[in-house]
Amino acid sequence: MALIGILGGMGPLATVDFMDKVVRLTQASRDQDHLPMIVANLPHIDDRSSAIIDHGADPLPALLDGIDLLNRNHVGLIAIPCNSAHHWYEPMRARSAAPVLHIAQTCVAAVPRTARRVALLATGGALVSGFYQQALTELDIEPVVPDAAMQPLVRDCIREVKAGDLDAAAAHLEAALAMLAEQGIGTALMACTEIPLAARRIGKPPVTLIDSTLELARATVRYACERGWNRPQ
Amino acid sequence: MALIGILGGMGPLATVDFMDKVVRLTQASRDQDHLPMIVANLPHIDDRSSAIIDHGADPLPALLDGIDLLNRNHVGLIAIPCNSAHHWYEPMRARSAAPVLHIAQTCVAAVPRTARRVALLATGGALVSGFYQQALTELDIEPVVPDAAMQPLVRDCIREVKAGDLDAAAAHLEAALAMLAEQGIGTALMACTEIPLAARRIGKPPVTLIDSTLELARATVRYACERGWNRPQ
């Protein structure tokens, strides 16, 4: 039986949200119709953003330990519901026997064809890394990186989700989205898996939000169901 | 580093709910304050209730495979967010190097001292197995098993959660709780981990509900934090 491998804990609520989306996207009328998964929820992996921006401790050894753990458990695919961790996508992919989905590829594929300018709601680390800017540019879409007034709101939104205060997180996100709307930006990528947990608390956001967690879950379910992992023999 | 092992997928949404409760119960201001977990989400384990009641396929070999998988990954504790699976608690406990929490023990410990009669909202299999009745009787509490009019509502509530229709599940649960209130029962155990997902959709239930998923999560977090698994050296 093939299993989905999830390298998670970055952060833990985002991993729970990702699993929830995988379960809800799976057509099922009973337990046995669902997809099997092994989840390595490893919250002690060093902070990705600090490593990218501030020369903080390198998370790569622990990320590779997680990849090894999942492969030892014979997973057939790996999904990593943390955008910033994809700064190290190449070494993780190279280490893994199982294919590793790339969250930015699945997310930018969901941008409407008509969008010409798309804002990036992400950690400072992911923005400095630049892989989202590259993925959008390859599709001839102009990435809009938040300015110095807006990025602290995005950062605080992410921080509050990690600390479990979703109401505070939603307030920061709402202020950031209002700025985007004022700037005439119609579409934004929630390119950090904490942000969708805050967005759920906002009634009607003033810009179209694309959810990287949801798009990664869609790609995961598609891959696994195409291969019949929900119907083991 | 010691890890929490979760034997899940029975059903998958209940496993997600359990993880969500573990994360929210952990005092944390950043990812690195959280508890590490390995989750074996194995929804293809044969139906527990059918095996107990109808001589359906035996889930024990797959349950033991899950226990083995978690032990191979060096977990320090196992929690199983499925009540009916605890019919096989003894063989699982005997097989496991890591201690295995018993969901019924954690759940009945949360019954208010003043309660004398407590209703059991559970699968037919768990009711026939009788481990909840035994755990309550040991505390001098009279277990109230739903009658033939009410149990189909509990069964359908559980079934709808497993199929992903939480609104339908909540309607069945609400009807069952109204029957309990009419019978003068003041406290009920949600002794199936699907039921709390339905209960969340009910504004103010007419009886006090004790949540087996939440109590198992509390015991798990307590065990792990007492041992410092949230602060690895």
Side-chain angles (χ1 to χ4, degrees), chain B residues 5-10 15 40 42 45 63 66-67 70 78-81 92:
Chain B
I6 301 175
L7 179 52
M10 303 174 280
T15 295
L42 305 174
I45 294 175
L63 288 170
I67 294 288
L70 292 172
I78 292 178
I80 309 170
M92 290 193 289

Side-chain angles (χ1 to χ4, degrees), chain A residues 11-21 41 81 197 200, chain B residues 15-21 23-24 37:
Chain A
L13 274 189
T15 295
V16 169
D17 183 43
F18 175 71
M19 292 174 66
D20 189 63
K21 284 166 172 158
N41 188 77
L197 288 147
R200 212 188 280 167
Chain B
T15 295
V16 169
D17 183 42
F18 175 71
M19 291 173 67
D20 190 61
K21 284 166 173 158
V23 174
R24 288 175 200 268
M37 319 174 194

